[in-house]
Amino acid sequence: MIKFISNSGHYKEVISAIKNVKRTLWIGTADIKDLYVELGKEKKPFLALVAQLIRKGVDVRLIHAKEPGPAFREDFDKYPVLYDRLERVLCPRVHFKIIVLDCQMTYIGSANLTGAGIGMKAETTRNFEAGVFTDEPELVESAMNLFDEVWIGKMCKKCKRKEYCTDPIA
């Protein structure tokens, strides 16, 4: 299955799938802000969902390009499980938007981990986004390989932008 998604489809398709992750969730994004999702009948920060998944035993990795804003950091502090169990890497060169779910599905597209990108926003206030959501093994493997290469610092030795890297991976 290869599904093209746009605009509110990001929230409906990708966030819904994230809620059902069982083992692993990898998220790569250039920008990360405070975004909200529906959990049951409540609207909660996306970090509440991440904390819930971690408590269920899901391993979550997050790569992002810059430090998130104060609202995100404030929400982060509400979920102590994130301190030790959310694996996080900062790489200022990351511009991809990749989400890998249980090594079986991937989102590859334009939407950052923000309210206007992938979160709960009205059609009139969200960004115009486009992406592919798929379980095609070749695409999932390619997305995982790129994510993993950044995660382990494979590109760090040849990086010509180290002066902008506040927390080097390698």
Side-chain angles (χ1 to χ4, degrees):
M1 172 272 305
I2 298 177
K3 189 178 226 179
F4 176 79
I5 54 177
S6 61
N7 300 332
S8 63
H10 285 81
Y11 180 78
K12 292 173 187 162
E13 301 281 339
V14 181
I15 297 296
S16 293
I18 288 172
K19 291 176 183 179
N20 295 310
V21 167
K22 302 287 184 240
R23 296 176 309 282
T24 58
L25 175 63
W26 294 1
I27 302 169
T29 185
D31 195 8
I32 184 168
K33 293 182 180 172
D34 194 37
L35 68 133
Y36 280 74
V37 297
E38 287 183 23
L39 287 178
K41 295 181 181 182
E42 296 182 78
K43 292 178 174 98
K44 293 199 170 203
F46 178 74
L47 289 171
L49 172 58
V50 172
Q52 183 181 77
L53 291 170
I54 289 172
R55 283 192 292 272
K56 289 179 179 179
V58 175
D59 292 322
V60 181
R61 288 182 173 181
L62 172 63
I63 299 174
H64 53 100
K66 61 184 178 181
E67 285 297 335
F72 182 93
R73 291 193 306 267
E74 190 177 304
D75 280 342
F76 187 91
D77 291 343
K78 294 176 186 174
Y79 307 99
V81 72
L82 300 175
Y83 304 164
D84 297 322
R85 305 241 330 261
L86 173 63
E87 297 181 79
R88 205 166 61 107
V89 165
L90 187 70
C91 175
R93 302 260 328 258
V94 165
H95 198 261
F96 58 66
K97 289 77 175 179
I98 295 174
I99 300 174
V100 179
L101 304 95
D102 287 329
C103 303
Q104 300 293 312
M105 293 191 72
T106 190
Y107 163 78
I108 304 165
S110 65
N112 281 302
L113 200 65
T114 64
I118 204 165
M120 290 181 70
K121 284 273 187 169
E123 284 294 325
T124 56
T125 57
R126 75 171 39 261
N127 295 339
F128 303 127
E129 305 286 2
V132 173
F133 197 40
T134 184
D135 62 357
E136 291 293 320
E138 186 176 321
L139 289 173
V140 174
E141 182 177 1
S142 294
M144 288 178 67
N145 287 341
L146 176 58
F147 188 102
D148 206 38
E149 286 174 359
V150 173
W151 185 262
I152 64 173
K154 184 176 180 181
M155 282 91 152
C156 293
K157 289 180 183 172
K158 295 179 185 175
C159 181
K160 302 276 188 202
R161 309 278 294 170
K162 289 182 182 175
E163 69 223 52
Y164 302 103
C165 192
T166 58
D167 188 18
I169 299 166

